[in-house]
Amino acid sequence: MKRLTLRDIEAIEVGAAILGTGGGGNPYYGKLQLFEQMKKGGVVDVISLDELDDDAWVVSLGGIGAPAVSVEKIYQGEELCRAVQALERETGRKVDALISSEIGGANSMKPMLTASQLGLPIVDGDGMGRAFPEMQMTTFSIYGHQSAPSAMSDSHGNTVVFTHLIGEIWLERLARACVVQMGGTAGIAEAPMAGVFVKRFAVPGTITQAMTLGYAVKDANRDNRDPIAEICRRESGSVLFEGKIVDLERFMVAGFTRGKLQVEGVNGFSGDHATVDIQNENLIFRYNSEVRCSVPDLIVILDLETGHAITTEVLRYGQKISVLGLPCHPLLRTETALRVIGPQAFGYPEVVYRPLAEHPAHP
Amino acid sequence: MKRLTLRDIEAIEVGAAILGTGGGGNPYYGKLQLFEQMKKGGVVDVISLDELDDDAWVVSLGGIGAPAVSVEKIYQGEELCRAVQALERETGRKVDALISSEIGGANSMKPMLTASQLGLPIVDGDGMGRAFPEMQMTTFSIYGHQSAPSAMSDSHGNTVVFTHLIGEIWLERLARACVVQMGGTAGIAEAPMAGVFVKRFAVPGTITQAMTLGYAVKDANRDNRDPIAEICRRESGSVLFEGKIVDLERFMVAGFTRGKLQVEGVNGFSGDHATVDIQNENLIFRYNSEVRCSVPDLIVILDLETGHAITTEVLRYGQKISVLGLPCHPLLRTETALRVIGPQAFGYPEVVYRPLAEHPAHP
């Protein structure tokens, strides 16, 4: 068990934004709320998967909504407490530990805040190892967990329990329809899982991963080393492109932020062109019209100078960016997983997923 | 207590379609399902409000969706059983009796079917005395009942419980968003009410009213008397217009059937023009552009010959119709009620509700 410090939280903020691949919401507000909680004496205790009892009752949780909305409609702070409590009432059993449904972006912070508020440990791991836009896109759902009963609550206190669902996609459909009515953001806690299932199917160690990554970027900036090279080294990633944003489509549709980014190359990429397709997260990277990286691998957009992640909702014309490709966790690229989180699942029938290492390197 | 016969159900079908004011869905399918249930030995026991214990636990229920959808996507039959059972699990208490949320249209039949399936009595009354398109438009909600927890279930078995709602409009917003995902139809059962509350705020005797009205129309047709005159006499109503449908806009939007009907006068109305605005139900009747009847009073469209009601989804160009105005129950036209079910609530700021009797009679 490790108790996190304020510095650790700062580092997780930086690392989780990178793992968010543009989405998952900005972790900044969540960090501030967690700081307030810690100043009042709250603690955040992280336990590893190994420390989890096989028969512990573990709830996966996070915010649901569009990142572009979460900038203006701030998380009230107790949405997920109400959701977890509604689940406990529904199942008649106390929860033993919480785990983030997605480590990328704001959902790194919210589950830690909830764990601290409820006096529960948070498990070092998550259901995505990154961020994805839809509810059924967790390793938990992919590998057989049934999400009902799940509970969601909004900033006002409206609370909905999905007591029976005939398939994982139905949580996404119904919860998404509700969150649009709720103003675009809410918290959702999914059906409790046994510890033994979580140990096998969580993406392991991702709180530590985000924190280590964040410290590395901060240290590199402090020491005037290249933070981007540091990220690539730690995550076995590579620089896919460097350039300037010359066009940006971004709009809200059916509760999602969708859009497309056009980038003109600079430095070694001068004269070349790249695009990134977005659904909350960065989905498809094309280099001179050729797909060079796609979901489930991570497409990360960073400030070219500082190496800090730029999330979807703060992208803007003229920014100089570096686009990185980072390989996803092996749990995300099995045949079973690709049916749920591969390019086809996002509406790209023509894109065949090829792991990052199999794409040609930049000449 | 009165046990209904198949003939009674046939009469209720006719009367409920009239009280549906164009909406509430066609009761025909529900009648067939109820017949099947009765052939298997099921019974429908109707109890009057007077027979209800003050501390009985009464659940108001009905289908939710768009009438135009319900013609193609037929009620599976057990949606409301699942919803009532989910409510019982949520509250930990057995339900003593059921009451229809709206007597108009298909929601006359579905609650009787559910009552028969669950072996419960059905209360002679409802929450509207007619049909209305939205959930908060019941006398129960209007006079202070809190709808949470409410439960809804779809034809597949997906079940959602709204455990906490900060206002009655939130059930409408969230349930409507869910029903659109569910394919346009579902069943919903609302938070149990004490018998004493139901006795005071239900629109009383509306199953009997629908049945009596249905028998009157059938008898008039059999005896070659004018069924429309019979309806007006029994319901203190009047003929607002007689004409031929010359234009019909009807479309689905946000889970509702919306539209507008244009009618050219025949018989005594020759040379005149009328329109009816629709949101699932007939909302506003205009005679040569002047509002002559509006919600919450009942605007009923009947076949000019048979006196049978024509519901929104089967209106078509060329039909010869009679438009009746029937006064609503006094519980629907208090100041409190008009805020929820008056013209303003339907987006007509310019229309002042005037009870039917205060409008000029046809010259």
Side-chain angles (χ1 to χ4, degrees), chain A residues 86 89-90 154 156-167 170 173-174 177-179 181-183, chain B residues 86 89-90 154 156-167 170 173-174 177-179 181-183:
Chain A
R89 275 198 307 275
E90 175 67 24
D154 71 8
H156 308 293
N158 291 307
T159 304
V160 180
V161 180
F162 304 94
T163 59
H164 186 76
L165 299 166
I166 58 163
W170 283 94
R173 286 181 187 158
L174 298 174
C178 288
V179 78
Q181 296 303 314
M182 288 167 165
Chain B
R89 275 197 308 276
E90 175 67 24
D154 70 9
H156 308 293
N158 292 305
T159 304
V160 180
V161 181
F162 304 94
T163 59
H164 186 76
L165 299 165
I166 57 163
W170 282 93
R173 286 181 187 159
L174 297 174
C178 287
V179 78
Q181 296 302 314
M182 288 167 165

Side-chain angles (χ1 to χ4, degrees), chain B residues 27 60 64 126 146 205 324 332 355:
Chain B
S60 153
I64 171 173
D126 76 304
Q146 310 272 315
L324 305 195
L332 302 187

Side-chain angles (χ1 to χ4, degrees), chain A residues 244-265:
Chain A
K244 193 174 121 178
I245 299 177
V246 292
D247 197 18
L248 170 64
E249 291 171 58
R250 185 176 48 199
F251 42 92
M252 289 290 304
V253 52
F256 294 111
T257 306
R258 288 183 186 266
K260 189 167 195 160
L261 198 64
Q262 306 275 354
V263 195
E264 291 295 342

Side-chain angles (χ1 to χ4, degrees), chain A residues 248-284:
Chain A
L248 170 64
E249 291 171 58
R250 185 176 48 199
F251 42 92
M252 289 290 304
V253 52
F256 294 111
T257 306
R258 288 183 186 266
K260 189 167 195 160
L261 198 64
Q262 306 275 354
V263 195
E264 291 295 342
V266 298
N267 303 339
F269 298 85
S270 193
D272 290 334
H273 183 83
T275 62
V276 180
D277 289 8
I278 296 164
Q279 178 188 349
N280 284 13
E281 282 74 43
N282 306 321
L283 298 183
I284 307 279

